[in-house]
Amino acid sequence: MQISRRALQKSLILFHNIQKWPAALAEEMAQACYVKKDFITEAEEKSLLTEVEPHMKRLRYEKSHWDDAIHLYREREQRKWRDENLDVISRIRSESFGANTEHLTYVHILDLHKDGVIKPHIDSIRYCGDVITGVSLLSDAIMRLRHKDQKDELVVDLLMPRRSLYRLGGPGRYDFTHEVLDETESVWQGQKVPRDRRISIICRDLPKLSNRAIQEEEIKLKPIPEEN
Ligand code: OGA
Ligand code: MN
């Protein structure tokens, strides 16, 4: 079936060279990895910002992550939330995790500078389970997924508009790296996507028991990437 041009333009997932993809893999990716536009309202965005901003302002942007995956960012983890924001966090979790999934109680807040970039990496299986999910505040951005063994052949982009939710699961979690493009690379269907400062509120489920680096209570969420 031919997807209409209109539908394609509205779609938030874009496979590069779809004809080169094994159909089953493309299908699996589209099921497990997606973006939902307007997942939170403007008021909810504002409310989250009011809670996270005062903490963030005290931190300086770091030039580089310890393993070089993230540039110009500041981050923190938060367990306790104001009730109204906790409602939003719960909605993110129930949207993206399966029923009865154990999730990390900490939420990861990543503040990426306008000129910041997240390079290709896979989150460590010791600190995160099958799903990575988050909402984007303040700016649109493009997340690019590349197959770990076919970096230039199997590539798919997710457009993450401000206030949207993204979910990475299935092969998109373990077999693909993810990255957030810088402004020069942020082009969607031929149109530039301006990159401003972006704050992401990221929820992860618990690593499989056998992979856990440390006991649950001690897990301090660090999105330690394994690969570049
Ligand atoms: C990470 C990461 C994505 C985001 O921190 O490991 O990939 O949405 N973040 O900021
Ligand atoms: Mn990551």
Side-chain angles (χ1 to χ4, degrees):
M1 192 185 76
Q2 191 76 27
I3 304 170
S4 81
R5 211 180 143 70
R6 189 113 170 259
L8 252 180
Q9 272 168 356
K10 278 168 91 179
S11 167
L12 301 175
I13 185 163
L14 197 72
F15 289 86
H16 295 210
N17 300 312
I18 186 67
Q19 71 283 357
K20 290 201 181 144
W21 282 69
L25 180 60
E27 185 67 33
E28 235 188 310
M29 286 294 281
Q31 295 255 334
C33 305
Y34 57 81
V35 176
K36 279 202 165 177
K37 205 168 183 285
D38 293 321
F39 188 77
I40 62 170
T41 64
E42 282 183 34
E44 287 167 338
E45 177 187 42
K46 203 176 262 178
S47 169
L48 284 165
L49 285 169
T50 328
E51 185 160 6
V52 303
E53 272 280 56
H55 301 285
M56 279 303 174
K57 277 198 178 137
R58 285 189 220 117
L59 306 171
R60 249 183 286 154
Y61 282 107
E62 312 266 341
K63 281 254 168 59
S64 176
H65 205 253
W66 59 270
D67 68 350
D68 256 15
I70 314 187
H71 287 271
L72 283 180
Y73 72 101
R74 45 194 185 185
E75 66 181 343
R76 63 186 296 270
E77 291 140 7
Q78 191 168 323
R79 192 200 286 264
K80 294 219 162 70
W81 292 85
R82 285 186 208 150
D83 286 349
E84 62 273 25
N85 290 336
L86 187 59
D87 284 349
V88 175
I89 305 281
S90 304
R91 228 166 67 219
I92 298 173
R93 289 178 171 140
S94 43
E95 162 67 39
S96 298
F97 300 148
N100 304 319
T101 305
E102 288 184 286
H103 59 75
L104 287 161
T105 49
Y106 283 100
V107 175
H108 178 201
I109 307 155
L110 185 72
D111 177 342
L112 196 63
H113 186 277
K114 181 183 189 323
D115 300 318
V117 58
I118 305 182
K119 294 190 187 164
H121 69 278
I122 298 176
D123 288 24
S124 169
I125 57 163
R126 303 195 324 143
Y127 294 90
C128 174
D130 293 338
V131 175
I132 302 164
T133 186
V135 293
S136 306
L137 313 182
L138 295 174
S139 177
D140 303 345
I142 295 176
M143 182 175 274
R144 178 162 291 166
L145 310 180
R146 301 171 183 272
H147 192 281
K148 60 181 166 45
D149 304 319
Q150 287 169 273
K151 292 179 169 52
D152 298 318
E153 290 79 33
L154 299 178
V155 181
V156 57
D157 289 346
L158 298 175
L159 178 62
M160 307 183 293
R162 179 177 183 178
R163 293 186 293 276
S164 66
L165 166 136
Y166 69 88
R167 176 195 197 265
L168 302 182
R173 159 71 180 101
Y174 296 107
D175 300 334
F176 284 73
T177 60
H178 54 275
E179 64 197 281
V180 172
L181 304 183
D182 69 14
E183 179 154 79
T184 58
E185 279 195 281
S186 296
V187 177
W188 188 263
Q189 307 263 21
Q191 279 206 305
K192 282 193 163 203
V193 176
R195 261 278 322 272
D196 209 329
R197 173 187 176 207
R198 168 180 178 268
I199 295 182
S200 44
I201 308 282
I202 308 163
C203 301
R204 295 176 168 92
D205 60 354
L206 277 176
K208 296 189 180 88
L209 253 182
S210 56
N211 292 335
R212 280 180 206 172
I214 32 177
Q215 288 307 299
E216 195 174 317
E217 309 83 62
E218 293 174 55
I219 289 182
K220 284 262 190 291
L221 170 56
K222 277 281 171 222
I224 300 170
E226 282 190 321
E227 297 193 1
N228 265 314

